[in-house]
């Protein structure tokens, strides 16, 4: 695992929903090193801290990385103003991604802006991947067609029932586990969703990898601010989300810790 | 190319730029970008005699031109530092500074004794951490406390001793004089300023610790003032820090009285910041015919 830090040119930019942008940058060495589930720390000009943004797409041949992010504050708003031809100062790829076993059935469970880092699972696992994607409403749905394009089976859920299943991702998740089964569940989304997904996996005895978020500083493990309570070998300790994660085995994470 | 070397308490630094404690791990986190040997030195993550869990997250909040942090000295303990990190640090880095914190005097003494027998080049006494309930800054806010811990550690080690001062005091010069009188070889300042942010939507402080230490460009003028005041109060060399992010800041800090500088928060914004400062200083010296950085230390011309 190695990372880089430089200014990279934006080669493509699209809007996926109101306030949700897809930005692709040319960064060959970074793309070569990147793995599904990793993230990068992107400079928001004028702000002290870089913004951690998950990697949504890796094209090693084209030498590009794709980032899909939502404007959540002033920093991401600054980043969203960058256009094709502009450069972004990017530190990455960072952290540990998903460990995807070959030829096994994987269910990717995503909620809202937690969906983008899971797209790489569909790309790698195609029809072995089932994606359960939850959104607030019809106008917040992103990337579902792209999961389908890679061959994944997609179940969309909305909180208000405007598209797909009206309810939480845990219902289709549990049904899929009962009817089809899976060797692994990978989850990324808001903490209540992650906790609920882990509870289902624990009940059904299926391994689960979770991608976590925490307020972050350096992004490379130096400052120890983005901590997450974990248990390893029976001992509790604060792991670094940036360096030891962001993807953890759910068995190691002590939620509410 | 200019000779950037500086000497502090008998220790030779190839350049005056040191990574500040708490922002650079134990030197292992940035080697993907450039070798540790590019820096004058590294002040390692604050360590305590026993491993420490640290504070409940969130531990960081962004502020105008800076950040608040409340890590709470999470570290693996002195023994693990000496065993796992120090050999690589010594091999790859220049001056290795062990930043030591504690709750009670015996903690500081035990840590200093263990480090005395190790390969670290210097010890930086952290009596200014605002993020731990017991110890830390409670030592650094009174002359008596600062003097007592300096005296105790001085007796426990022959390593060059830097004492890191907090700005959260009425008179930083009194503290500086107190630690100088007890045998400190150098002082480093400033540690973070105590601050707070509140999320107006849920009325909760952003930091779980409620309060934390403010760092970054926002505190730079406070740091320059403190360094200047201390330069005029003590004879021991000063390592200046607090919001330095450019070579111009470094020059300014040296004019105020710093013999060397530490860079911390700026590394989060730009990991290359220390190198840019080093290169900028070299160019500044060449352009101005400065042979040694000691020529500018404390050379501000006050009105």
């Amino acid at each position: 695992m190695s990372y880089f830090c430089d200014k990279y040119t934006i080669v493509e930019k699209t809007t996926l929903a109101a306030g949700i942008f897809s930005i692709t940058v040319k960064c060959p060495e970074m793309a070569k090193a990147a793995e599904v589930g990793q993230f990068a720390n992107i400079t928001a000009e004028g702000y002290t801290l870089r913004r951690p943004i998950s990697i949504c797409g890796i094209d090693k041949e084209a030498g590009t990385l794709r980032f899909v992010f939502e404007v959540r504050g002033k920093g991401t708003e600054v980043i969203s103003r960058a256009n094709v031809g502009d450069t972004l100062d990017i530190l990455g790829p960072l952290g540990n991604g998903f460990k995807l076993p070959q030829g096994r059935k994987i269910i990717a469970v995503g909620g809202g802006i937690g969906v983008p880092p899971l797209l790489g699972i569909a790309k790698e696992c195609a029809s072995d991947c089932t994606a359960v994607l939850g959104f607030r409403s019809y106008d917040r749905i992103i990337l579902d067609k792209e999961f389908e394009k890679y061959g994944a089976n997609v179940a969309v859920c909305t909180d208000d029932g405007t598209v797909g299943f009206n309810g939480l991702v845990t219902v289709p998740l549990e049904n899929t586990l009962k009817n089809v089964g899976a060797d692994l569940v990978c989850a990324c989304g808001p903490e209540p969703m992650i906790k609920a997904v882990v509870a289902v996996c624990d009940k059904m005895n299926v391994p689960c990898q979770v991608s976590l978020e925490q307020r972050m500083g350096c992004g490379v493990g130096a400052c120890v601010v983005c901590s997450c309570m974990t248990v390893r070998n029976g001992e509790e300790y604060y792991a670094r989300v940036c360096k030891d994660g962001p993807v953890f085995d759910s068995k190691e994470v002590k939620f509410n810790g | 190319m200019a000779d950037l070397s500086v000497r502090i308490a008998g220790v030779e630094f190839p350049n005056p730029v040191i990574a500040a404690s708490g922002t650079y791990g134990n030197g292992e986190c940035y080697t993907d970008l450039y070798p540790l040997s590019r820096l004058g030195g590294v002040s390692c993550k604050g360590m305590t005699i026993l491993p420490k869990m640290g504070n409940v997250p969130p531990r960081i909040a962004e502020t105008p031109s800076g950040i608040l942090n409340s890590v709470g000295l999470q570290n693996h303990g002195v023994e693990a530092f000496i065993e796992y990190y120090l050999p690589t640090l010594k091999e790859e880095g220049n001056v290795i500074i062990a930043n030591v914190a504690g709750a009670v005097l015996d903690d500081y003494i035990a840590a200093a004794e263990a480090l005395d027998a190790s390969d670290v080049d210097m010890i930086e006494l952290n009596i200014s951490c605002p993020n731990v309930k017991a110890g830390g800054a409670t030592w650094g806010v009174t002359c008596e406390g600062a003097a007592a811990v300096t005296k105790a550690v001085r007796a426990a080690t022959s390593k060059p001793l830097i004492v890191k001062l907090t700005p959260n005091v009425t008179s930083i010069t009194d503290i500086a004089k107190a630690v100088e009188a007890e045998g400190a070889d150098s002082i480093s300042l400033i540690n973070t300023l105590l601050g707070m942010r509140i999320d107006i939507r849920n009325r909760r402080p952003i930091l779980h610790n409620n309060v934390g230490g403010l760092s970054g460009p926002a505190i730079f003028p406070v740091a320059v003032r403190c360094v200047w005041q201390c330069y005029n109060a003590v004879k021991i060399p000063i390592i200046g820090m607090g919001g330095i992010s450019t070579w111009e800041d470094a020059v300014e800090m040296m004019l105020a009285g710093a013999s060397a500088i530490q860079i911390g928060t700026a590394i989060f914004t730009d990991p290359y910041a220390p190198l840019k400062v080093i290169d900028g200083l070299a160019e500044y010296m060449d352009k101005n015919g400065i042979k040694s950085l000691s020529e500018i230390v404390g050379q501000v011309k006050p009105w």
Side-chain angles (χ1 to χ4, degrees), chain B residues 108-141:
Chain B
Y108 281 102
I109 294 167
E113 281 173 350
L115 288 162
D116 189 61
S118 80
D119 279 340
V120 301
D121 297 299
M122 307 178 93
I123 293 175
E124 181 174 53
L125 209 49
N126 182 354
I127 56 167
S128 45
C129 176
N131 292 321
V132 288
K133 286 195 172 65
T138 54
W139 289 105
V141 292

Side-chain angles (χ1 to χ4, degrees), chain A residues 63-111:
Chain A
T64 59
L65 286 181
R66 178 190 185 195
F67 300 95
V68 170
F69 64 98
E70 184 172 21
V71 172
R72 285 285 178 87
K74 290 171 187 159
T76 39
E77 205 260 320
V78 168
I79 295 170
S80 77
R81 274 189 249 131
N83 279 311
V84 171
D86 294 342
T87 58
L88 286 175
D89 190 326
I90 307 175
L91 173 68
L94 303 173
N96 293 301
F98 294 103
K99 290 174 193 69
L100 303 173
Q102 292 294 310
R104 298 297 179 91
K105 284 190 165 29
I106 297 172
I107 305 178
V109 186

Side-chain angles (χ1 to χ4, degrees), chain A residues 75-213:
Chain A
T76 39
E77 205 260 320
V78 168
I79 295 170
S80 77
R81 274 189 249 131
N83 279 311
V84 171
D86 294 342
T87 58
L88 286 175
D89 190 326
I90 307 175
L91 173 68
L94 303 173
N96 293 301
F98 294 103
K99 290 174 193 69
L100 303 173
Q102 292 294 310
R104 298 297 179 91
K105 284 190 165 29
I106 297 172
I107 305 178
V109 186
I113 204 61
V115 167
L118 302 171
L119 183 59
I121 298 175
K123 188 183 176 188
E124 290 211 358
C125 306
S127 61
D128 285 333
C129 171
T130 296
V132 182
L133 311 176
F135 305 95
R136 285 204 304 275
S137 188
Y138 70 95
D139 58 351
R140 310 307 299 160
I141 296 172
I142 54 166
L143 301 170
D144 56 324
K145 297 287 180 289
E146 300 195 39
F147 278 83
E148 283 173 359
K149 198 184 72 192
Y150 287 127
N153 314 295
V154 179
V156 169
C157 313
T158 49
D159 295 347
D160 62 0
T162 44
V163 176
F165 178 74
N166 181 3
L168 302 176
V169 289
T170 42
V171 178
L173 167 66
E174 197 162 342
N175 288 339
T176 310
L177 284 172
K178 274 180 189 151
N179 301 332
V180 192
D183 302 297
L184 173 69
V185 171
C186 295
C188 185
E191 193 171 304
M193 184 210 87
I194 299 236
K195 282 183 195 166
V197 168
V198 170
V200 169
C201 291
D202 287 349
K203 191 172 80 178
M204 309 283 286
N205 207 19
V206 179
C208 180
Q209 295 175 19
V210 293
S211 177
L212 301 181
E213 265 193 318

Side-chain angles (χ1 to χ4, degrees), chain A residues 1-5 43 47-51 91 214-218 220-225 227 229 236-238, chain B residues 22-25 29-30 32-33 53-60 62 65-67 71 74 206 265 268-269 271-272:
Chain A
M1 266 193 325
S2 62
Y3 68 83
F4 307 86
C5 182
T43 296
Y47 291 85
T48 303
L49 295 177
R50 289 164 179 264
R51 270 38 180 182
L91 173 68
Q214 185 50 272
R215 285 176 182 267
M216 206 172 268
C218 66
V220 298
C223 70
V224 216
V225 302
S227 47
M229 186 55 90
E236 287 188 355
Y237 80 111
Y238 276 125
Chain B
T23 63
Y24 218 76
C29 299
Y30 286 100
D32 278 14
L33 298 183
M53 188 98 104
N55 292 332
V56 175
R59 296 173 172 182
I60 191 167
E62 198 170 41
S65 292
I67 53 170
V71 173
Q74 177 173 343
I206 292 173
T265 303
F268 301 165
T269 314
Y272 295 113

